[in-house]
Amino acid sequence: MDFLLVADRAEAVNGKLYLLGGGWDRISLAQFPGQANFDLALGVLVGYTETNERHEFSLTLEDDDNQVVLGPITGQFELGRPPGLKPAQAQRFIVAVRGPFPLASPGCHHWVLALDGRPAGRTTFWADPMAGHTP
């Protein structure tokens, strides 16, 4: 995993990531359970020897007790080996997963990534009730 982050909006187009309001760690919701309107951006570095092979990713949203809130969200990718790619070089696969996402309760949440069935990383954020609102 190269990066996994939450953003107000994320879009992956032609190998580029377009990000608006990315990298935050707190979101406020008017009520719980509720829908959190944000996106998720994922970047994976694919090594020379891993090109021309199909890879799978799986994203799971968990609460602070590691209970699954959503998912898995799954996908596949395969990067070809372009002419001139040297054995020490890697290529980046980028994908954006669009929200909204359900959050049952306030507190700590984790997006957990698995690549080819193996744990590969996570990112953490906190969901808070909006000021003046009771969760």
Side-chain angles (χ1 to χ4, degrees):
M1 177 182 88
D2 190 24
F3 60 83
L4 178 62
L5 53 101
V6 290
D8 293 339
R9 290 288 167 263
E11 188 174 353
V13 179
N14 295 326
K16 293 183 181 180
L17 179 64
Y18 295 88
L19 198 63
L20 179 64
W24 48 262
D25 64 0
R26 294 201 175 271
I27 189 167
S28 296
L29 270 69
Q31 66 180 20
F32 290 90
Q35 294 290 317
N37 195 15
F38 66 89
D39 297 341
L40 188 64
L42 168 64
V44 176
L45 287 176
V46 179
Y48 180 88
T49 60
E50 297 171 320
T51 57
N52 297 323
E53 294 179 16
R54 186 163 300 239
H55 299 280
E56 296 181 0
F57 69 89
S58 172
L59 292 160
T60 306
L61 179 60
E62 297 180 355
D63 63 18
D64 204 27
D65 294 324
N66 299 318
Q67 298 299 306
V68 174
V69 174
L70 176 69
I73 297 170
T74 61
Q76 298 179 344
F77 62 95
E78 182 175 342
L79 297 180
R81 191 175 297 157
L85 186 71
K86 295 180 174 72
Q89 294 177 320
Q91 299 177 79
R92 185 175 285 120
F93 165 74
I94 296 174
V95 66
V97 180
R98 303 296 304 264
F101 304 105
L103 297 180
S105 60
C108 186
H109 293 79
H110 314 280
W111 278 105
V112 180
L113 171 67
L115 290 171
D116 294 330
R118 295 183 304 274
R122 65 173 38 206
T123 192
T124 299
F125 69 95
W126 287 262
D128 300 319
M130 282 186 182
H133 292 273
T134 304

